[in-house]
Amino acid sequence: MIMHPAYQYALQLFQGLQKELRECWNLCKTKSRGFWATLAFGYIAMLTAFPASSILSRLYYQDGGNRRWLVAWTAVAGWPLTGLALLPFYFKKGVLPTRPTWILLFAYAFIGFLSAADNLMYSWAYSYLPASTASLIASSSLAFTAFFAFCLIGKRMNAFTVNAIGIITAATVILALDSSSDRPTGVSEKQYVVGFVLDLGGSALHGLIFALSEMVFIKLLGRESTHVILEQQTMVSFFGFLFTTIGVVLSGDFSVMKAESQRFKHGPSAYYNVIVWSVISYQVGIVGSVAILYCASTLLAGVLNAVRVPITSIAAVIALHDPMNGFKVLSIVLTAWGFGSYVYGGFKERWAHKVALIVPSARHSDEHIEPAGSFEGDLELPLSNSGK
């Protein structure tokens, strides 16, 4: 019996997908408890640690803190935690550290300097903006990442990426139009505008850092594996820590911590808890992102990065009593929509690639159909040493 070519094509595709799903299920059954524990840690870390970092940054200012360099320093002071995550790769898996070169170290130092500047801009923004508003504006870094990736490394933008950029831009404009009802107590209109501009500028710099990090992988490292990403995060965080520490020392922030803790709303103990957990939470989020990359894919990391934006906004409303009105709700919905469009675009590209791999194999053999691999690709991982 001769089948219609279209029907034969669909049948072969279905057989290929059926076999791949069966292989994925069998693979899941072979995973150890350690694998599932690592994956669960990644989920929990990304969806709690990043929002907690944003909440704590705003809480520091809301309860009486006023040192911008100090808050910027907390974003990178936990860099040894990322370094510790490398130890299992070196000692258990036998992976050798990447050999450093002068140009590679210079690249890490330069990105570290940009991260220090980015952290400072976000720090100023959080001193004037509600945490929910600041996190929504910071999500515009996705648009800047796509723009700089296109300009610097020629990464093309599909229709879904362009759509995401337009939607997230609209969400940011809506927030700007609603500044009168969104200002925290004691913040003037001028200060609110300064915070808004610095947050947007920090998002642009955040996008540039992503693109430059991608260039380092392409031009200098030639690979993008989990331990290499961790190495880059550790080194960039280390240099960012050095530059930020210089700023903290020169501004005198360390020397006034004791006096500032006495004036803090809930006393010195609460003050130092906010500082310490700010340091820990952001780096835990970074390590959690790498755990998702290691156990799953950048696509899943991108999905979780999108989900944490409304989580941060809702948590800020509950914990810090941030104002929430129709404009902000609409902005949250548009931001989530923009992220969804971006992630769906990446999913479609990978699906098209998967189909291209399955069908040719099926045409050669009705009995043996090659699996198409994972959905991993160039979707930007939500890793950085800057920003909230």
Side-chain angles (χ1 to χ4, degrees):
M1 179 180 178
I2 300 177
M3 291 188 294
H4 190 277
Y7 177 76
Q8 186 177 16
Y9 177 91
L11 179 61
Q12 290 170 343
L13 180 60
F14 173 76
Q15 290 173 339
L17 293 176
Q18 187 179 42
K19 182 175 181 179
E20 186 179 5
L21 288 173
R22 188 163 54 247
E23 290 177 352
C24 287
W25 173 247
N26 292 332
L27 182 63
C28 288
K29 292 192 293 185
T30 64
K31 294 298 183 181
S32 65
R33 293 180 180 178
F35 170 86
W36 295 112
T38 303
L39 185 63
F41 166 77
Y43 270 100
I44 295 171
M46 283 198 68
L47 296 180
T48 60
F50 281 136
S53 177
S54 299
I55 299 296
L56 289 169
S57 294
R58 179 57 199 165
L59 181 64
Y60 166 82
Y61 292 114
Q62 185 170 294
D63 284 1
N66 196 38
R67 313 306 299 187
R68 275 79 177 187
W69 272 108
L70 182 62
V71 173
W73 179 80
T74 62
V76 287
W79 68 269
L81 293 177
T82 311
L84 288 175
L86 279 167
L87 297 182
F89 290 93
Y90 294 153
F91 295 105
K92 188 175 180 179
K93 296 183 176 296
V95 175
L96 295 176
T98 302
R99 184 178 179 181
T101 62
W102 286 111
I103 188 170
L104 183 61
L105 290 175
F106 174 79
Y108 286 156
F110 180 67
I111 297 176
F113 172 77
L114 294 181
S115 294
D118 197 26
N119 289 328
L120 185 61
M121 294 174 75
Y122 278 124
S123 177
W124 275 92
Y126 271 83
S127 68
Y128 293 143
L129 300 177
S132 55
T133 302
S135 65
L136 284 169
I137 298 172
S139 67
S140 64
S141 62
L142 173 66
F144 291 110
T145 298
F147 173 76
F148 285 118
F150 174 77
C151 294
L152 297 179
I153 57 181
K155 185 175 291 185
R156 68 185 183 88
M157 292 188 287
N158 57 34
F160 293 96
T161 301
V162 175
N163 183 55
I165 292 173
I167 292 172
I168 292 175
T169 301
T172 305
V173 171
I174 289 172
L175 285 176
L177 296 174
D178 189 43
S179 61
S180 59
S181 64
D182 196 44
R183 288 200 307 272
T185 304
V187 174
S188 67
E189 185 175 352
K190 181 179 179 181
Q191 288 173 326
Y192 185 94
V193 171
V194 169
F196 195 100
V197 171
L198 287 175
D199 202 358
L200 198 59
S203 299
L205 189 53
H206 199 62
L208 176 61
I209 290 170
F210 265 123
L212 292 175
S213 299
E214 186 80 8
M215 284 187 68
V216 169
F217 286 122
I218 295 172
K219 303 291 185 181
L220 301 180
L221 295 172
R223 54 182 177 157
E224 190 172 340
S225 61
T226 304
H227 85 275
V228 172
I229 291 174
L230 271 174
E231 286 175 340
Q232 189 201 53
Q233 291 297 312
T234 302
M235 292 303 298
V236 172
S237 288
F238 171 71
F239 282 111
F241 170 76
L242 290 182
F243 288 121
T244 310
T245 301
I246 293 172
V248 172
V249 172
L250 293 179
S251 65
D253 283 10
F254 280 147
S255 61
V256 301
M257 286 181 68
K258 184 175 181 180
E260 188 174 63
S261 69
Q262 299 295 329
R263 300 191 302 268
F264 204 64
K265 183 177 180 179
H266 298 291
S269 178
Y271 177 85
Y272 289 111
N273 267 308
V274 168
I275 298 298
V276 170
W277 284 107
S278 292
V279 171
I280 294 173
S281 60
Y282 195 73
Q283 291 303 316
V284 168
I286 292 291
V287 176
S289 301
V290 178
I292 293 295
L293 172 66
Y294 176 72
C295 294
S297 68
T298 53
L299 182 65
L300 178 59
V303 171
L304 294 178
N305 194 43
V307 171
R308 73 181 177 93
V309 173
I311 289 178
T312 302
S313 298
I314 295 170
V317 172
I318 296 172
L320 303 178
H321 306 292
D322 274 13
M324 178 64 73
N325 51 36
F327 284 100
K328 189 172 290 186
V329 171
L330 179 58
S331 181
I332 292 173
V333 172
L334 288 176
T335 300
W337 181 10
F339 269 105
S341 175
Y342 182 76
V343 170
Y344 180 71
F347 178 86
K348 282 204 68 174
E349 285 191 348
R350 286 156 186 73
W351 180 254
H353 178 65
K354 183 182 281 279
V355 170
L357 289 175
I358 291 175
V359 174
S361 300
R363 285 174 178 168
H364 288 293
S365 172
D366 291 335
E367 297 180 356
H368 179 67
I369 302 176
E370 296 291 337
S374 70
F375 278 103
E376 298 184 25
D378 60 1
L379 187 71
E380 282 74 15
L381 186 67
L383 298 182
S384 179
N385 305 287
S386 56
K388 297 289 182 181

